[in-house]
Amino acid sequence: MCILTTKRKPRADMNTLLTLFFVVMFEITTLMATAQTHTLGLIAQPQYDSLLYASGFRLTGRTVESLLGPKVSNAEFQAHVKSLHQLKCNVYVCNVLFPGSIKIAGPDVDQHEVLSYLEAVLVRAQHAGIKNLTLGSGGARRLPPGYDATIAKTRFIELSKQMAALAKKYAVTIILENLNSTETNFINTLRDATDIVKRVDHPNFRLNADIYHMLKERELPEAIENAKGLIVYCEIAESQKRSLPGVHGEDFRPYFAALKNIGYEGPIMIEGNVDNLTKDAPIAFRYLQSQLREVWEKK
């Protein structure tokens, strides 16, 4: 009897261990799924890549001028492309598509110049594997005093349709960004940007819902719900000094709730003040994750 008991006990212990193992794995998997509600990114220079990754971020971004623009020589561009493959954080987007010297809205738009510049950037974007280009470019779209905003909008929509067709050729998406009125005087709200994207009506011309700019313009979260199905990604920063989330403790949950209501599953990117990035990046990641979890877990 003693021998039989001795033989059976390890089996019982093994079954218990297996049960505990699966319970623990289930809890870990559930925790990870909850914790990683959305992929988070932070736009910063490549020297901060390891810091961003260690903080929890998996995406980053660059400016078009620094990576894809004509001021970058071919040799420099090839070196940049090679370095992209060595980064821990994926370069999800390049922003500031047009420099202020190339007008895309108003009376001084040179359509040939705009499309020629854009195609040169798109060629490089395709080669570098950059899928998203953000059309903020406050200087490029700023209207002169007294210029008719309705005319500007109509002409911008027509130009955007041509830009979208060109982007499709290179499998790139142009993403229109709402900018607050301290940065430009054209397309200052998400509602304005949404209306333009709807009128352009092209899969390669979509939206960046920038919550920082919404906060600056006191735009309500409901504007996000009006943009359902059009938002490729969101950007965020605190309205006070454009600091990283958590520095001043601003509440983004009403905007996250609007994203939840439309079934948004895309990334959320921080574009803000990086002067104290070593200290602020880990805080920002934890702060955003906490508010996102709270919203997504709420029934």
Side-chain angles (χ1 to χ4, degrees):
M1 291 298 295
C2 292
I3 295 174
L4 290 174
T5 302
T6 304
K7 287 182 178 180
R8 286 172 184 169
K9 191 172 181 180
R11 289 177 191 154
D13 289 346
M14 182 61 70
N15 289 336
T16 302
L17 288 172
L18 284 171
T19 301
L20 287 171
F21 173 80
F22 286 116
V23 168
V24 170
M25 288 302 296
F26 175 79
E27 291 178 349
I28 291 173
T29 302
T30 303
L31 179 63
M32 291 178 65
T34 303
Q36 298 183 9
T37 308
H38 292 80
T39 304
L40 300 184
L42 196 159
I43 296 175
Q45 293 299 312
Q47 62 262 34
Y48 296 111
D49 176 61
S50 294
L51 169 64
L52 298 185
Y53 192 87
S55 299
F57 297 101
R58 294 298 177 262
L59 302 175
T60 189
R62 301 280 298 278
T63 63
V64 166
E65 182 181 31
S66 68
L67 184 61
L68 308 172
K71 292 182 180 180
V72 179
S73 70
N74 286 331
E76 289 173 323
F77 173 66
Q78 294 301 333
H80 288 330
V81 172
K82 185 177 180 180
S83 69
L84 292 179
H85 300 299
Q86 300 170 351
L87 295 175
K88 295 179 180 179
C89 294
N90 179 47
V91 177
Y92 178 78
V93 67
C94 285
N95 59 12
V96 194
L97 178 51
F98 291 96
S101 59
I102 298 180
K103 302 300 294 185
I104 58 174
D108 302 318
V109 176
D110 183 332
Q111 181 176 299
H112 176 74
E113 179 186 34
V114 170
L115 296 179
S116 295
Y117 171 87
L118 176 60
E119 184 156 29
V121 170
L122 288 168
V123 168
R124 284 188 161 183
Q126 185 182 58
H127 183 74
I130 303 296
K131 298 294 185 183
N132 301 306
L133 300 176
T134 301
L135 179 51
S137 307
R141 76 194 204 199
R142 186 176 295 117
L143 304 178
Y147 189 76
D148 191 310
T150 302
I151 294 174
K153 182 176 180 178
T154 299
R155 292 178 176 174
F156 180 75
I157 290 169
E158 292 305 313
L159 179 61
S160 296
K161 289 179 179 178
Q162 296 182 64
M163 291 193 289
L166 199 55
K168 180 181 179 181
K169 178 181 174 182
Y170 294 95
V172 173
T173 301
I174 295 173
I175 306 172
L176 183 62
E177 177 183 12
N178 54 302
L179 297 177
N180 75 78
S181 53
T182 68
E183 297 188 15
T184 192
N185 60 358
F186 185 52
I187 317 174
N188 297 129
T189 65
L190 182 62
R191 286 194 181 275
D192 289 342
T194 299
D195 183 56
I196 288 172
V197 170
K198 286 180 177 179
R199 290 170 184 259
V200 172
D201 191 24
H202 196 289
N204 293 78
F205 195 85
R206 285 295 184 253
L207 272 176
N208 162 23
D210 194 311
I211 294 171
Y212 162 74
H213 292 295
M214 293 181 73
L215 290 168
K216 293 291 287 185
E217 290 297 303
R218 302 182 185 277
E219 188 173 16
L220 297 176
E222 286 78 4
I224 289 174
E225 298 186 25
N226 186 48
K228 182 177 180 179
L230 301 175
I231 301 172
V232 173
Y233 79 104
C234 292
E235 281 187 338
I236 198 166
E238 295 185 327
S239 60
Q240 188 174 167
K241 298 182 180 180
R242 204 166 191 168
S243 53
L244 270 58
V247 173
H248 297 288
E250 292 189 15
D251 185 6
F252 303 111
R253 288 171 294 186
Y255 294 88
F256 293 159
L259 290 172
K260 179 184 177 182
N261 288 342
I262 63 172
Y264 178 74
E265 297 179 345
I268 296 175
M269 304 280 291
I270 298 173
E271 184 186 22
N273 188 333
V274 295
D275 290 344
N276 299 304
L277 196 59
T278 301
K279 175 176 72 71
D280 292 345
I283 294 172
F285 182 84
R286 293 193 298 269
Y287 189 81
L288 281 186
Q289 284 286 51
S290 176
Q291 290 200 354
L292 283 165
R293 268 201 307 271
E294 183 178 338
V295 169
W296 253 261
E297 290 176 0
K298 187 176 181 180
K299 294 182 180 179

